[in-house]
Amino acid sequence: MKDSKVKNKLKIKYLEFIKNNNNIIDISNSINFIKNLCLKRNFDENIDIYINIDKKYIFNKNLLNGFILLKNEIICRKLKTCLLAYGNDLKLAESYNFFDYIGMDNIINDFINKKIFIDIIFSTTSAFDMIKNIIIKKCVGKINIPSFKTKTLININNIENLLNSIKNKIVLYKINNNVLYTNIGKISQSNIMLIDNFNFIINFINNNIIIKNKKNNFLNKIFISTTMGPSLCINKL
């Protein structure tokens, strides 16, 4: 009974919000609304976004699942990472205690055979040159391919600067049936940081995933919600 009363109150607030904003909802007031709508819980809820992309656009199929290096820090679960390296590079990388797995093609084989779980693959330039064909053959469409553009292909001498620059800024995304799902942060984070992350993701899609008709609007609908809250449709960017 108590749960139904709470849901009714949330529904009334939702309808009032839509009416008061004349059905024009941008990212700023939508974040304010879902934050105010959150009930007091014992955990810091995610703020998730679902972006419906027009079916007439063609995706870069190598990037249907992957990660985005955001502008601002994001609080999320610790991602499972691996580094492809050998020799002295391997020993140096181990000293930073950042990567969950370090090795060569044995790591790739364990991942493909589902013996280990990995979110992101990093590689030194020398290791990538040695097993590039194996990585491309086995990993395309399943996990990222290391590259300088995504800061996952690294010079081992600059590893400390790299780790500092990407710390807490990586968020995973998935695209399924033309809908991209990811999150922009937690309700405890400032609105400015959340809005910056949202805009960064929109630009990432436009610059990296859409490979035809880039000049046109590729978005159908965008929905935003907290982990346990209702979703809200953003109709103004």
Side-chain angles (χ1 to χ4, degrees):
M1 186 69 179
K2 187 177 179 181
D3 287 343
S4 63
K5 284 183 178 180
V6 170
K7 287 180 181 179
N8 286 334
K9 285 182 179 180
L10 294 178
K11 186 175 181 180
I12 290 169
K13 283 185 178 181
Y14 181 88
L15 294 173
E16 285 178 349
F17 174 78
I18 301 294
K19 184 179 179 181
N20 293 336
N21 286 278
N22 298 317
N23 293 319
I24 299 174
I25 304 166
D26 61 19
I27 182 62
S28 180
N29 57 27
S30 65
I31 287 175
N32 279 328
F33 174 71
I34 62 175
K35 278 187 173 185
N36 292 332
L37 205 61
C38 279
L39 302 175
K40 290 183 179 180
R41 296 189 174 94
N42 295 324
F43 65 97
D44 194 9
E45 293 185 58
N46 284 335
I47 296 182
D48 303 321
I49 56 171
Y50 303 82
I51 302 173
N52 190 304
I53 303 173
D54 196 310
K55 288 183 179 180
K56 68 184 177 183
Y57 291 94
I58 299 175
F59 296 124
N60 182 337
K61 293 184 179 179
N62 293 335
L63 292 171
L64 293 184
N65 296 300
F67 68 94
I68 303 170
L69 188 59
L70 295 174
K71 182 178 179 181
N72 297 308
E73 289 190 7
I74 184 170
I75 306 165
C76 62
R77 71 174 175 84
K78 185 182 182 303
L79 301 176
K80 289 285 186 181
T81 59
C82 83
L83 175 69
L84 304 178
Y86 65 94
N88 292 332
D89 289 353
L90 186 148
K91 293 178 182 178
L92 180 59
E94 285 178 340
S95 68
Y96 286 98
N97 198 29
F98 176 83
F99 301 100
D100 296 284
Y101 307 101
I102 303 176
M104 289 291 281
D105 50 335
N106 60 307
I107 298 292
I108 299 298
N109 291 330
D110 285 347
F111 168 72
I112 295 301
N113 294 325
K114 298 182 179 180
K115 293 181 179 179
I116 58 174
F117 176 79
I118 301 171
D119 289 306
I120 303 171
I121 294 178
F122 292 82
S123 178
T124 64
T125 51
S126 56
F128 189 74
D129 287 342
M130 287 183 66
I131 58 173
K132 176 169 60 178
N133 293 337
I134 295 174
I135 298 170
I136 293 173
K137 182 179 179 180
K138 294 187 176 182
C139 295
V140 168
K142 296 176 182 176
I143 199 167
N144 69 290
I145 304 299
S147 71
F148 288 116
K149 188 175 183 179
T150 59
K151 296 188 177 182
T152 50
L153 190 58
I154 63 177
N155 182 326
I156 199 67
N157 295 323
N158 295 327
I159 190 170
E160 189 169 1
N161 291 334
L162 169 77
L163 298 182
N164 288 332
S165 70
I166 67 173
K167 188 178 181 181
N168 298 328
K169 291 184 179 180
I170 296 175
V171 62
L172 299 179
Y173 71 86
K174 289 184 179 180
I175 297 177
N176 189 24
N177 294 326
N178 289 71
V179 177
L180 181 144
Y181 158 76
T182 188
N183 66 75
I184 59 174
K186 299 276 189 178
I187 59 172
S188 61
Q189 293 182 268
S190 72
N191 287 16
I192 292 175
M193 290 181 71
L194 294 169
I195 292 168
D196 279 349
N197 283 345
F198 172 84
N199 290 330
F200 195 91
I201 289 169
I202 297 297
N203 289 332
F204 174 86
I205 296 171
N206 194 32
N207 295 327
N208 295 279
I209 296 174
I210 303 299
I211 57 176
K212 283 197 174 181
N213 301 320
K214 281 189 178 183
K215 294 182 179 179
N216 298 327
N217 182 21
F218 56 85
L219 303 175
N220 272 344
K221 290 181 180 179
I222 302 175
F223 291 90
I224 185 169
S225 71
T226 58
T227 306
M228 303 290 287
S231 63
L232 190 66
C233 183
I234 298 170
N235 54 27
K236 182 184 177 184
L237 291 178

